[in-house]
Amino acid sequence: MTEKSATAFGHMANLDDSDLKGLDPDALKLAEMGYKQDLARKYTVLSVLGVGFSLTNSWFGISAALVTGINSGGPVLIIYGIILIALVSVCVGISLSELASAYPNSGGQYFWTNELAPRRYANFASYLTGWFAWAGSIFTSASVALAVGSAGVGCWVLTHPDFTFKSWHVFVGYQVVNIAAFSFNCYGRTLPLLGHVSLWTSLISFFIILIVVPAKAPTHQHAKFVFANFVNNTGWSQNGIAFIVGLINTNWAFACLDCATHLSEEIHHPEKMIPVAIMGTVAIGFVTGWTFSIAMFFSMTNVDDLSATATGVPILALFYQALGSKAGAVALEALIMATGIFCLASSHTWQSRLCWSFARDRGIPFSSYFAVVDRATGVPIRAHFMSCVIVAIVGCLYLGSSTALGR
């Protein structure tokens, strides 16, 4: 056990030589960091990749936040912004992979901070990092739940033109989706399968939309529109500011790359497999996000109609433009919603592991209660439940402000 691990701010398992006998190399590595093996190592590299990519899900992120990019840079922002953020994400992914390989721990960033920061500041810096990481996971879940809830309401508005849209409709959809994703994470044995299903649901949905929309679009934009059309509806006179503001769209499409690191204690040989999952997420994310964006922009007929759509869901309006069929548009949006629900389920996995590991290190109130792994389900169900309750509470912000969660 390293000196820093032994004096860390939180709980460290008291292990003697008898505890170390019979441990496999992965558990022994964990013991060297001062922790016992509480979670079963049931994931494979493909299932971890499934969870990681399902959360990052670049093409879904582009589709869900399309309105921001349309108003803040238009096609130029999305097409070239993806390339820019992908290059940044490669650098981030390499850094995360190096740290995950050296310190495969569910705590991720806050644990690495405690190990690598100067001793004088390590505990405080680690504590702040842990809180910011967990809070980030909570708000990520909230934004995904809002995107899926908004999509569901948007589909109803499209098929019922006389329907009067209210904020509470999205709020109800938000809570329903949050509860559904919560249930997916309540049984540990099914989580690896969930990772596989999430990955293939996303990829199959991507390919269907990629083929159907351009094929059915009545007209196609010229290359200049896709690769050289800049739009600035932000209110800022400087196009550079508009471009920077719009990068939130493409940045969200590559967010949460650290997800796989928080599954380090649930996969064999994490020092090798976690980096594969992280870099695989970046690679698949770039290919799917970039090709999806190009295909959608070539299929647009009227950009202004997308921003002003009564559904509040620009990608749904794009589907309707291309297919000319409400049923067809709703069917394609249903694929995005299915992808989004699995994305939220992966986000719940991420946030629960962060909460559990942080509680294990006494970083949150009532840590001894939330640092428990339920033996019947094989998951930190208390940490999972509390995190989802907080996500549900955060959803109330939408009732006061439609932009509070990024819509």
Side-chain angles (χ1 to χ4, degrees):
M1 186 188 304
T2 66
E3 180 182 352
K4 283 192 176 182
S5 292
T7 59
F9 68 88
H11 169 72
M12 294 293 175
N14 295 317
L15 301 173
D16 53 34
D17 291 340
S18 61
D19 294 319
L20 302 179
K21 293 180 179 179
L23 293 181
D24 62 43
D26 297 323
L28 186 59
K29 177 72 172 180
L30 191 61
E32 291 173 354
M33 290 183 278
Y35 297 91
K36 291 183 178 180
Q37 182 71 56
D38 291 322
L39 293 166
R41 296 186 183 268
K42 54 190 176 299
Y43 280 89
T44 64
V45 66
L46 187 60
S47 57
V48 171
L49 174 62
V51 174
F53 175 72
S54 296
L55 177 55
T56 300
N57 232 326
S58 299
W59 76 270
F60 167 76
I62 292 294
S63 71
L66 188 63
V67 66
T68 306
I70 289 176
N71 290 319
S72 303
V76 165
L77 179 279
I78 302 297
I79 299 301
Y80 299 107
I82 288 177
I83 297 174
L84 175 62
I85 299 300
L87 291 174
V88 173
S89 297
V90 168
C91 299
V92 173
I94 291 173
S95 299
L96 289 172
S97 298
E98 180 67 22
L99 290 167
S101 181
Y103 301 103
N105 187 285
S106 291
Q109 298 96 313
Y110 83 78
F111 179 81
W112 304 334
T113 301
N114 189 75
E115 292 294 299
L116 301 175
R119 183 69 264 152
R120 182 179 178 182
Y121 307 107
N123 289 354
F124 181 67
S126 180
Y127 183 74
L128 284 182
T129 303
W131 272 106
F132 282 132
W134 185 38
S137 68
I138 294 294
F139 283 100
T140 297
S141 294
S143 66
V144 176
L146 180 65
V148 179
S150 299
V153 174
C155 289
W156 184 264
V157 172
L158 179 65
T159 55
H160 298 78
D162 297 331
F163 178 74
T164 302
F165 171 81
K166 301 290 185 181
S167 295
W168 68 265
H169 297 140
V170 175
F171 174 77
V172 171
Y174 174 105
Q175 301 298 351
V176 169
V177 172
N178 186 45
I179 292 172
F182 166 81
S183 65
F184 290 153
N185 276 272
C186 288
Y187 194 59
R189 288 188 177 182
T190 61
L191 287 179
L193 176 61
L194 181 66
H196 286 277
V197 173
S198 300
L199 176 61
W200 290 113
T201 297
S202 177
L203 293 179
I204 291 173
S205 299
F206 160 75
F207 280 113
I208 291 175
I209 295 172
L210 188 71
I211 294 171
V212 170
V213 174
K216 295 293 292 183
T219 61
H220 294 91
Q221 295 288 351
H222 49 76
K224 183 178 180 181
F225 171 84
V226 177
F227 297 104
N229 181 38
F230 190 89
V231 178
N232 183 1
N233 294 328
T234 63
W236 294 94
S237 59
Q238 298 88 354
N239 288 339
I241 297 295
F243 184 86
I244 293 173
V245 172
L247 283 176
I248 189 174
N249 188 340
T250 52
N251 183 64
W252 193 53
F254 285 92
C256 313
L257 290 178
D258 64 298
C259 174
T261 68
H262 303 293
L263 297 175
S264 294
E265 297 177 31
E266 299 176 65
I267 184 173
H268 290 290
H269 311 299
E271 66 280 356
K272 296 180 180 179
M273 300 307 174
I274 297 301
V276 171
I278 293 174
M279 299 312 296
T281 294
V282 176
I284 298 174
F286 171 71
V287 172
T288 56
W290 200 58
T291 54
F292 177 83
S293 300
I294 292 174
M296 295 305 104
F297 283 125
F298 268 115
S299 304
M300 287 182 181
T301 57
N302 191 315
V303 177
D304 293 334
D305 287 350
L306 300 186
S307 301
T309 176
T311 66
V313 186
I315 192 65
L316 176 61
L318 192 157
F319 292 159
Y320 184 48
Q321 281 185 4
L323 275 64
S325 166
K326 292 183 178 180
V330 170
L332 293 184
E333 188 64 26
L335 294 177
I336 288 185
M337 291 176 62
T339 300
I341 291 174
F342 285 121
C343 175
L344 182 58
S346 297
S347 187
H348 281 191
T349 304
W350 175 44
Q351 71 186 19
S352 67
R353 298 315 188 265
L354 263 169
C355 179
W356 165 75
S357 59
F358 201 36
R360 181 177 61 177
D361 285 321
R362 299 177 186 174
I364 63 175
F366 309 106
S367 57
S368 60
Y369 178 80
F370 293 110
V372 174
V373 175
D374 184 72
R375 296 305 173 191
T377 61
V379 297
I381 194 69
R382 297 174 182 176
H384 174 45
F385 180 78
M386 180 178 69
S387 297
C388 291
V389 168
I390 296 175
V391 172
I393 294 172
V394 170
C396 297
L397 292 174
Y398 184 78
L399 295 176
S401 171
S402 63
T403 59
L405 297 178
R407 185 164 187 252

